Amino acid sequence: MTDHFFKKVVSELKEATENNDHPFRYFTLGTTGITKTPRLRTVVLREVSDELKFTIYTDKRSRKVTHIKEHNEVCLLFYKHDELLQLKIEGIAYLEEDKEKIARVWKSISEKSRKDYITSKEPGTKIDNPDNVEYLENTNHFTIMYIKAKKLEYLQLKRPNHIRLQFNRESTKDWQSSFMVP
Ligand SMILES: Cc1cc2nc3c(=O)[nH]c(=O)nc-3n(C[C@H](O)[C@H](O)[C@H](O)COP(=O)(O)O)c2cc1C
């Protein structure tokens, strides 16, 4: 009975990787690092697999990368306003290690978008004027981050009954699901 919801989640997420207007295209990634203070930021969903492995692109000097190296457990939050549908995902984050794969993906990124990964100074460095950002010419700090989901919570607000379900997966085993009191 819960299969339908899981399939809907995967299908909507996949659609968001191809459609910039889909509300799941942008999601909130929460990390903690060693300080235990949660840090949230919006990122773009680049890919998602049937097993709920998420892919994002980032700068390897960014705080989120430092955080996941310190503590690899992260949370993702997606929200689809027209259906009042929220997805909360807990997972394990890690970076792509295959340099050739990173180089291949880098080649596919447009010149305009590459600027996000080639600032001379580290992201977050203080500057006097937003127009005074310098860019590197022959090198980049692009990397690929993956998040492997181990828990998914689906919540849809609707009348007469809200729908709340949890899907859990231990290691490579199948997803276990149950409805919950909303
Ligand atoms: C609409 C939007 C999309 C964004 N997409 C990404 C992204 O895909 N990857 C990324 O690293 N940062 C992205 N950012 C910037 C992050 O939200 C964040 O400010 C930046 O990565 C620095 O975060 P950190 O210091 O916590 O690592 C995006 C911001 C906005 C507003």
Side-chain angles (χ1 to χ4, degrees):
M1 193 178 166
T2 56
D3 272 12
H4 155 79
F5 295 97
F6 196 84
K7 283 188 184 140
K8 173 182 162 60
V9 166
V10 174
S11 150
E12 294 262 1
L13 288 167
K14 285 192 179 221
E15 193 191 327
T17 63
E18 289 162 9
N19 176 0
N20 283 341
D21 294 330
H22 195 291
F24 288 170
R25 176 73 173 164
Y26 302 96
F27 66 95
T28 306
L29 167 67
T31 57
T32 53
I34 45 172
T35 65
K36 297 198 180 132
T37 305
R39 188 174 169 118
L40 310 174
R41 77 285 283 163
T42 307
V43 288
V44 178
L45 177 61
R46 305 290 176 175
E47 271 177 48
V48 63
S49 73
D50 291 337
E51 301 302 311
L52 294 189
K53 184 177 113 178
F54 297 83
T55 304
I56 69 163
Y57 298 162
T58 196
D59 185 311
K60 55 176 151 265
R61 301 166 297 177
S62 67
R63 183 81 68 90
K64 68 183 85 50
V65 169
T66 310
H67 267 192
I68 67 143
K69 286 180 181 166
E70 291 170 352
H71 182 76
N72 63 5
E73 290 178 86
V74 301
C75 275
L76 318 184
L77 187 72
F78 293 86
Y79 180 58
K80 193 170 185 217
H81 178 254
D82 61 349
E83 293 181 26
L84 301 183
L85 171 62
Q86 171 181 273
L87 305 178
K88 280 198 284 180
I89 289 155
E90 289 176 22
I92 301 296
Y94 57 98
L95 299 176
E96 175 63 66
E97 287 177 1
D98 181 346
K99 289 192 175 124
E100 285 178 16
K101 163 95 194 256
I102 297 172
R104 257 197 325 274
V105 175
W106 175 249
K107 276 192 191 152
S108 74
I109 296 175
S110 70
E111 206 65 38
K112 190 167 59 102
S113 299
R114 284 183 181 186
K115 288 180 91 177
D116 296 344
Y117 315 98
I118 56 167
T119 54
S120 303
K121 291 183 178 155
E122 290 191 8
T125 307
K126 287 185 181 148
I127 48 172
D128 295 335
N129 182 325
D131 295 329
N132 285 350
V133 178
E134 287 168 13
Y135 296 95
L136 301 163
E137 278 183 13
N138 298 315
T139 180
N140 70 76
H141 294 279
F142 173 73
T143 195
I144 304 170
M145 185 186 292
Y146 303 109
I147 297 111
K148 206 169 173 186
K150 52 181 189 169
K151 194 164 158 185
L152 159 70
E153 195 182 298
Y154 177 111
L155 172 65
Q156 184 168 28
L157 299 191
K158 59 193 224 176
R159 302 291 171 204
N161 298 316
H162 301 326
I163 300 172
R164 185 172 173 192
L165 303 101
Q166 202 179 61
F167 296 86
N168 281 295
R169 183 173 55 182
E170 281 175 31
S171 66
T172 54
K173 290 188 190 136
D174 289 340
W175 292 94
Q176 308 293 315
S177 62
S178 62
F179 287 98
M180 298 158 88
V181 175

